[in-house]
Amino acid sequence: MRRLLCWMLFALWSGTALAAEPPIFSSGSGAIRGYDPVAYFTAGRPTKGREAYTTRYMDADWYFTSAENRDLFVAMPEKYAPQYGGYCAWAVANGYTATTDPWAWAVVDGRLYLNYSQGVQRKWRQDIPGNIARADANWPQVLEQ
């Protein structure tokens, strides 16, 4: 117990965040609120995944509409997983993390981006290349803030 307390005090003193955000935004219903990340590419819209088709990736549960979509994701998660771990692309571009709405989405240059809301997404769309460049520069360091 004493060692744990000492370690925690050292971590706080050294500036190490004990409560960093996980690398994947996940709610009680799974990564990206249980929506199928592959469906954004194949169906062209957000589609709620099913418990029967799940996989675990980066310590999060991912849900899919079919075994085929799950298998596509497992084969190439970097292609289908949303950028910035599914956190809001606008928030990451501005140096922080925020949850996302699966209906506030865009595929840009073959990559899936999610936003906090459709209102925030309108702001993000005003300068997509600039916002992506800023978010790329901030990621993954924003998880530690």
Side-chain angles (χ1 to χ4, degrees):
M1 180 70 172
R2 188 172 182 195
R3 269 192 183 154
L4 178 61
L5 180 59
C6 288
W7 183 85
M8 289 172 56
L9 289 173
F10 172 76
L12 287 171
W13 175 77
S14 68
T16 303
L18 290 176
E21 295 286 346
I24 301 294
F25 166 63
S26 183
S27 65
S29 54
I32 60 173
R33 300 188 187 276
Y35 280 76
D36 179 343
V38 176
Y40 288 97
F41 297 90
T42 59
R45 62 184 164 79
T47 307
K48 193 79 166 164
R50 296 175 42 203
E51 195 171 329
Y53 308 112
T54 63
T55 194
R56 190 122 176 105
Y57 172 69
M58 293 188 72
D59 292 326
D61 293 321
W62 297 78
Y63 293 82
F64 302 90
T65 57
S66 66
E68 180 182 10
N69 280 10
R70 181 198 55 216
D71 295 346
L72 285 169
F73 183 88
V74 168
M76 292 185 293
E78 65 284 347
K79 176 179 179 175
Y80 296 108
Q83 299 302 289
Y84 321 121
Y87 290 98
C88 175
W90 166 261
V92 175
N94 287 284
Y96 61 96
T97 60
T99 62
T100 50
D101 175 357
W103 291 90
W105 66 281
V107 172
V108 177
D109 295 329
R111 302 278 184 204
L112 175 60
Y113 296 89
L114 299 171
N115 289 113
Y116 174 78
S117 67
Q118 291 179 357
V120 168
Q121 185 179 48
R122 284 190 289 277
K123 293 179 189 178
W124 182 76
R125 286 185 175 181
Q126 291 175 2
D127 182 15
I128 291 173
N131 285 317
I132 290 172
R134 283 189 300 282
D136 286 349
N138 290 336
W139 186 257
Q141 300 87 307
V142 296
L143 295 173
E144 299 302 321
Q145 297 178 2

